[in-house]
């Protein structure tokens, strides 16, 4: 038996090298609907060819294993990244089992590893969650038994652990996709923004908006309502090409195709390519928010090996300040995420955005800007002519990101 297992293992290693390490795969990226262009730009910057799928907020690309690692390490605009294993139509459980059985699970999951399943269905004849999960589990067990190996173990734990592989089953109109979570859950969790204020902007959305702003390398980013520093820290990381979450453990590190030496070499190469990046000036009227921003900057600097002097947090009122406009030889860009929603009534919001518009017209002539605006009424109250507009949802509120310049 040991002699057979040794030959079987060598055969498996050859198949992994041929089909996984040397092969091409489909990477699926989930991004905030309305901001797909940011994901397309980011994938293009990594030398990949993005393709939009029918579902809003869905992009995919063909990718090698090394490219997958690099994309997960550097991507900032995506909320999740999945390795797609298969895609098929199915309207009956017998058909589902047959198609799940054709997946070569041993190429992707180690013997005896733990896995959990995330299942979503919409307009599917197959919608009984328990039966779908059992079908996948049985197919996987049969596959490993045929190889005389130990099948992976299913768990329904809610624990966040990169060692527990999440398998994504998604069904829409009887069309199913089977994927592995490559990033390990929500990618906006960078690991260094521990201190937050009320209603923080998610990091991946902030990064997407900065990417859409298309700023030059010599930018001075004026984050004039910084809160705890989401725009500031994302600008610092994105403009330098830093690792998105340097202390994060990824599920692909437990795949049988993972090569630790190659992965460490790739991370070192990424760090060698680090760029000078933007200078960041962040300001807020709230002392607590500024304190949180400074603490987050310290954590980021220690984890990412970046100079904290490239980003400054100042307690200052946007409607009174003028000091940040002196940009020297850098090109200033004003970015704002003003308070809105439950924190202000509709009348107060309109008056507030009207005041913002007047301040920009008076104090920021000739300086390009990007502003998150909640709804058409506030957009009208702002009174500024925009050149580009992106519609999306933030915290459940329909908002727009306006880009323009007061000439």
């Amino acid at each position: 038996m040991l002699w057979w297992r040794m030959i079987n293992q060598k055969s498996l290693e050859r198949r992994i090298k041929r089909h996984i390490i040397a092969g091409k795969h489909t990477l699926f990226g989930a991004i905030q609907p309305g901001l797909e262009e940011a994901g397309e730009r980011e994938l293009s910057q990594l030398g990949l060819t993005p393709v939009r799928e029918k579902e809003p907020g869905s992009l995919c690309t063909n990718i090698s294993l090394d490219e997958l690692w690099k994309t997960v390490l550097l991507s900032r605009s995506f909320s999740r990244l999945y390795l797609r294993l298969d895609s098929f139509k199915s309207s009956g459980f017998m058909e589902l089992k047959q198609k799940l059985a054709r997946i070569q699970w041993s190429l992707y999951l180690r013997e005896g590893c733990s896995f959990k399943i995330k299942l979503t269905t919409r307009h599917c004849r197959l919608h009984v969650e328990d039966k779908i999960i059992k079908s996948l589990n049985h197919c996987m067990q049969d596959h490993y038994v045929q190889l005389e190996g130990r099948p992976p173990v299913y768990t329904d734990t809610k624990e966040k652990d990169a060692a527990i592989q999440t398998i994504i089953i998604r069904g829409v109109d009887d069309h199913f996709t089977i994927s592995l979570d490559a990033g390990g859950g929500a990618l906006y969790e960078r690991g260094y923004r521990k201190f937050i204020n009320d209603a923080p902007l998610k990091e991946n959305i902030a990064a997407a908006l900065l990417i859409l702003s298309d700023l030059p390398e010599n930018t001075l980013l004026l984050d004039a309502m910084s809160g705890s520093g989401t725009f500031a820290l994302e600008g610092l990381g994105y403009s330098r090409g830093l690792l998105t979450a340097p202390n994060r453990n990824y599920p692909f590190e437990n795949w049988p195709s993972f090569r630790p030496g190659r992965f460490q070499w790739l991370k070192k190469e990424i760090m060698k390519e680090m760029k000078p990046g933007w200078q960041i000036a962040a300001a807020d009227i709230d002392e607590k928010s500024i304190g949180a921003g400074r603490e987050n900057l310290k954590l980021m600097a220690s984890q990412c090996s970046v100079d904290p002097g490239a980003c400054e947090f100042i307690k200052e009122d946007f409607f009174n300040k003028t000091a940040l406009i002196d940009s020297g030889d850098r090109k200033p860009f004003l970015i704002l995420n003003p308070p809105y929603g439950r924190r202000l009534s509709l009348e107060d919001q309109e008056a507030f955005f009207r005041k913002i518009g007047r301040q920009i017209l008076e104090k920021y002539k000739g300086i390009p800007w990007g502003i998150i605006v909640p709804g058409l009424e506030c957009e009208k109250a702002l009174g500024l002519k925009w050149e580009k507009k992106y519609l999306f949802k933030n915290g459940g509120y329909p908002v727009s990101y306006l880009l323009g310049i007061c000439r």
Side-chain angles (χ1 to χ4, degrees), residues 203-275:
E203 285 83 347
N204 62 303
I205 293 178
L209 300 183
L210 289 169
I211 292 168
L212 293 172
S213 302
D214 197 21
L215 305 178
E217 289 185 7
N218 62 335
T219 290
L220 170 63
L221 185 67
L222 307 174
D223 184 6
M225 294 182 181
S226 67
S228 56
T230 312
F231 274 131
L233 299 187
E234 286 304 304
L236 193 65
Y238 169 69
S239 64
R240 283 162 175 74
L242 300 179
L243 298 175
T244 305
N247 289 351
R248 190 181 186 120
N249 294 318
Y250 296 101
F252 60 71
E253 295 179 60
N254 298 291
W255 295 353
S257 57
F258 183 66
R259 296 160 291 162
R262 178 73 176 179
F263 185 59
Q264 292 304 319
W265 173 83
L266 179 62
K267 290 170 74 172
K268 288 178 182 178
E269 288 300 302
I270 290 172
M271 295 305 293
K272 286 180 184 177
E273 295 172 4
M274 192 170 73
K275 297 171 286 188

Side-chain angles (χ1 to χ4, degrees), residues 136-362:
L136 185 144
N137 199 16
H138 288 163
C139 290
M140 190 182 292
Q141 290 201 21
D142 289 345
H143 175 81
Y144 282 86
V145 167
Q146 289 174 15
L147 296 175
E148 299 195 10
R150 290 181 297 116
V153 179
Y154 171 70
T155 175
D156 58 0
T157 181
K158 304 298 181 184
E159 180 185 358
K160 291 183 179 180
D161 184 350
I164 302 174
Q165 177 64 59
T166 301
I167 299 175
I168 313 297
I169 305 176
R170 193 160 189 272
V172 179
D173 298 324
D174 292 332
H175 185 273
F176 287 84
T177 55
I178 314 297
S179 308
L180 299 183
D181 186 356
L187 294 175
Y188 64 82
E189 297 173 345
R190 310 297 200 213
Y192 47 72
R193 200 162 72 99
K194 302 292 187 182
F195 304 89
I196 60 174
N197 60 353
D198 295 333
L201 186 67
K202 285 184 177 178
E203 285 83 347
N204 62 303
I205 293 178
L209 300 183
L210 289 169
I211 292 168
L212 293 172
S213 302
D214 197 21
L215 305 178
E217 289 185 7
N218 62 335
T219 290
L220 170 63
L221 185 67
L222 307 174
D223 184 6
M225 294 182 181
S226 67
S228 56
T230 312
F231 274 131
L233 299 187
E234 286 304 304
L236 193 65
Y238 169 69
S239 64
R240 283 162 175 74
L242 300 179
L243 298 175
T244 305
N247 289 351
R248 190 181 186 120
N249 294 318
Y250 296 101
F252 60 71
E253 295 179 60
N254 298 291
W255 295 353
S257 57
F258 183 66
R259 296 160 291 162
R262 178 73 176 179
F263 185 59
Q264 292 304 319
W265 173 83
L266 179 62
K267 290 170 74 172
K268 288 178 182 178
E269 288 300 302
I270 290 172
M271 295 305 293
K272 286 180 184 177
E273 295 172 4
M274 192 170 73
K275 297 171 286 188
W278 306 334
Q279 187 71 28
I280 317 289
D284 201 280
I285 195 173
D286 180 51
E287 183 72 51
K288 182 180 176 183
S289 295
I290 289 299
R294 288 170 178 160
E295 291 301 318
N296 291 331
L297 177 61
K298 288 179 185 177
L299 284 173
M300 183 181 185
S302 64
Q303 292 182 22
C304 301
S305 302
V306 64
D307 178 14
C311 180
E312 183 179 11
F313 281 88
I314 306 167
K315 182 181 181 298
E316 199 163 25
D317 185 352
F318 168 71
F319 298 106
N320 295 329
K321 68 184 177 69
T322 56
L324 297 182
I325 301 176
D326 183 13
S327 59
D329 59 351
R330 289 185 173 267
K331 295 182 179 180
F333 179 82
L334 173 68
I335 194 161
L336 295 176
N337 178 29
Y340 55 84
R342 296 175 185 173
R343 291 176 288 174
L344 294 172
S345 68
L346 180 59
E347 290 183 1
D348 289 340
Q349 281 184 155
E350 290 180 24
F352 187 59
F353 277 85
R354 195 173 294 113
K355 190 177 179 183
I356 290 174
R358 287 198 298 265
Q359 177 73 354
I360 291 174
L361 283 169
E362 292 174 9

Side-chain angles (χ1 to χ4, degrees), residues 74 86 118 179 263 376 407:
L74 290 175
D86 206 350
K118 182 179 178 181
S179 308
F263 185 59
L376 191 58
R407 303 185 187 280

